[in-house]
Amino acid sequence: MSKNICFIDGLEGILKYREIDINQLVELPYDAVSYLLILGELPVDQELAEYSSRLHGEREINREVMDIIRMCKLNIDSMEALRTIVSFISQFDPDINDSSPEGNLRKAIRLIAKIPTIVAAYYRMANGKEPLPPDRFLSHGANFLYMIRGSKPSQLEAEVMEKDFILSAEHELNASTFSSRVTASTLSDLYSAVVSGLCTLKGPLHGGARSEVMNMIEEIACPENAEEFILEKIAKKEKIMGFGHRVYKTYDPRGMIFKQLSRQLAEAKGDMHWYEIAEAIENTVIRELVEKKGKPIYPNVDFYSGVIYKYMDIPPQLATSIFAIGRVSGWIAHCFDQYEKKRIIRPRAFMLDEC
Ligand code: ACO
């Protein structure tokens, strides 16, 4: 594959997948971005129709998988359930031992299609509800919201969910993508590589930050409380969740789009409450850490996405799993790249000092 999977300019705040700017990509359907990441080029209409049809046709999960989801304890983190089930379903994949590019593509499509169904099924069971079968006529975003809620989302909510998956889909060698790539570099199978990614994404310094942001906003409760809350955290030298990034030394471009989307949702719902709390947090962090101390600590991808979930009645327990639904296409794109290289990743221990 010729085009780089991802390009980040952390000083200018630029992000591209396969040479296309993220601001353009969010206007596309998730399926098109997934195709772009995995196959290297944007699909023409016919290619997108075929890819979507294959993806939507693979959304169902079988009864044995449902039974295992039912056996998961109902109070565990949804990421724990997800990593367990993704590992379990590999045995039903007829291509599990086919590591040809075609076999890997078929596995990739099944993984991308089934992960939202698993997340939604566990969520509904954990809340005492029966899982719903996926609707193959809905987009990736609309179908997921339908499967967790039991009713079809508004057009705006469906579009926001699609954009959320796109913004979460890829980010170069972040921790979870790196661990997926390391697994793929041993020529282990795609399910194993995706499980590695899931396990790494779960941590609070990575994908787990999104649910912590939601809890923080809930705890602050009203915009007037935000300043004192943040000042106290800074005084205690605690990290503020949803802020800071190893690569971006300016505003994360995904964070900027999430901010606009959360404002759009707030206005559409006629309820600025959560947005105003978030903005008060952001203003305090920027004043205290950026302007006074000169540290480049801006909202990252996890901050305003947490605000969006508040508006869409998505609970914190689902936040990291939703990140995973989007990110799986990126993990797979990197695994395919790694399979082509056929070379094991084996850093030396001294390199850890630079991490
Ligand atoms: N709140 C307050 N201060 C911060 C924050 C924050 N969120 N992030 C960084 N800083 C400060 C650190 O205290 C440190 O200050 P010092 O130089 O005075 O010691 C300085 O900025 C550098 O911070 P590091 O932790 O060294 O930066 P690093 O690149 O290692 O970490 C990370 C990046 C993990 C994202 C960090 O900013 C953080 O923990 N943020 C909060 C958790 C979070 O939002 N994670 C999601 C990241 S995006 C993603 O993974 C999808």
Side-chain angles (χ1 to χ4, degrees):
M1 278 174 199
S2 52
K3 291 179 184 164
N4 282 340
I5 301 169
C6 186
F7 169 84
I8 306 172
D9 183 332
L11 294 178
E12 295 295 327
I14 296 169
L15 170 63
K16 295 179 182 180
Y17 304 165
R18 305 267 186 211
E19 299 179 3
I20 305 177
D21 191 272
I22 193 67
N23 288 286
Q24 274 170 268
L25 293 171
V26 283
E27 301 305 327
L28 301 173
Y30 176 79
D31 292 355
V33 176
S34 167
Y35 184 107
L36 170 75
L37 285 168
I38 290 174
L39 294 161
E41 300 282 350
L42 273 181
V44 297
D45 289 350
Q46 177 66 20
E47 287 166 334
L48 178 58
E50 279 169 22
Y51 185 70
S52 290
S53 161
R54 287 177 73 183
L55 265 182
H56 299 196
E58 289 284 359
R59 284 176 175 164
E60 299 261 354
I61 49 179
N62 66 30
R63 181 162 293 280
E64 285 138 304
V65 177
M66 270 315 172
D67 289 344
I68 293 293
I69 299 178
R70 246 177 251 284
M71 284 166 68
C72 289
K73 283 176 81 172
L74 297 180
N75 59 350
I76 56 172
D77 185 297
S78 73
M79 284 296 279
E80 279 179 77
L82 182 57
R83 71 163 145 71
T84 304
I85 305 304
V86 172
S87 195
F88 181 77
I89 62 172
S90 69
Q91 63 189 298
F92 301 109
D93 195 312
D95 293 302
I96 191 66
N97 295 318
D98 180 352
S99 56
S100 66
E102 299 74 27
N104 277 337
L105 179 61
R106 289 192 293 273
K107 279 180 282 204
I109 287 175
R110 291 185 192 113
L111 276 159
I112 296 164
K114 291 186 196 311
I115 282 179
T117 315
I118 296 166
V119 173
Y122 173 72
Y123 171 70
R124 284 185 68 87
M125 286 184 202
N127 286 282
K129 295 178 185 157
E130 272 307 297
L132 289 167
D135 183 336
R136 63 179 300 156
F137 299 106
L138 295 178
S139 70
H140 211 58
N143 175 58
F144 177 68
L145 287 171
Y146 163 71
M147 287 191 297
I148 59 171
R149 292 176 175 174
S151 59
K152 290 188 182 151
S154 69
Q155 197 182 334
L156 176 61
E157 287 181 320
E159 279 173 20
V160 170
M161 200 71 252
E162 286 274 287
K163 291 180 199 298
D164 178 302
F165 290 150
I166 292 167
L167 292 166
S168 306
E170 164 57 19
H171 212 235
E172 205 211 42
L173 270 195
N174 59 87
S176 56
T177 302
F178 184 64
S179 60
S180 280
R181 266 195 100 121
V182 171
T183 305
S185 84
T186 68
L187 302 186
S188 185
D189 70 283
L190 200 57
Y191 282 84
S192 302
V194 167
V195 172
S196 291
L198 289 168
C199 296
T200 310
L201 185 70
K202 182 171 175 285
L205 293 187
H206 190 16
R210 209 170 275 200
S211 56
E212 308 247 352
V213 167
M214 297 179 73
N215 294 333
M216 173 172 72
I217 290 174
E218 187 85 44
E219 194 183 336
I220 291 176
C222 67
E224 295 73 35
N225 295 343
E227 181 170 0
E228 191 185 335
F229 183 96
I230 296 299
L231 290 178
E232 211 171 297
K233 277 207 168 289
I234 292 174
K236 287 193 215 154
K237 299 201 180 312
E238 285 178 19
K239 292 262 177 74
I240 295 135
M241 290 293 140
F243 284 82
H245 200 276
R246 177 63 63 86
V247 180
Y248 292 114
K249 300 303 164 208
T250 182
Y251 217 113
D252 181 333
R254 303 164 300 170
M256 192 70 88
I257 299 171
F258 270 127
K259 183 174 181 179
Q260 288 156 4
L261 290 174
S262 62
R263 189 177 178 102
Q264 208 180 330
L265 265 180
E267 285 171 352
K269 290 185 182 268
D271 169 13
M272 301 304 288
H273 182 69
W274 302 117
Y275 181 82
E276 283 171 0
I277 296 176
E279 215 174 33
I281 297 172
E282 181 188 347
N283 290 342
T284 311
V285 173
I286 290 186
R287 189 189 68 218
E288 294 299 316
L289 296 179
V290 183
E291 291 167 5
K292 289 190 188 163
K293 297 195 178 162
K295 293 183 185 180
I297 315 277
Y298 296 92
N300 59 43
V301 69
D302 287 327
F303 189 63
Y304 281 100
S305 50
V307 182
I308 280 170
Y309 299 164
K310 297 288 303 169
Y311 281 114
M312 300 220 284
D313 292 324
I314 292 172
Q317 302 89 286
L318 275 180
T320 316
S321 303
I322 293 178
F323 198 157
I325 292 173
R327 183 56 60 92
V328 66
S329 293
W331 289 333
I332 290 170
H334 280 267
C335 291
F336 283 7
D337 194 48
Q338 194 61 45
Y339 285 144
E340 279 183 15
K341 289 188 167 48
K342 292 190 174 51
R343 189 137 202 264
I344 197 162
I345 297 174
R346 203 299 192 186
R348 295 295 309 275
F350 67 81
M351 294 168 85
L352 286 174
D353 295 337
E354 291 163 25
C355 289

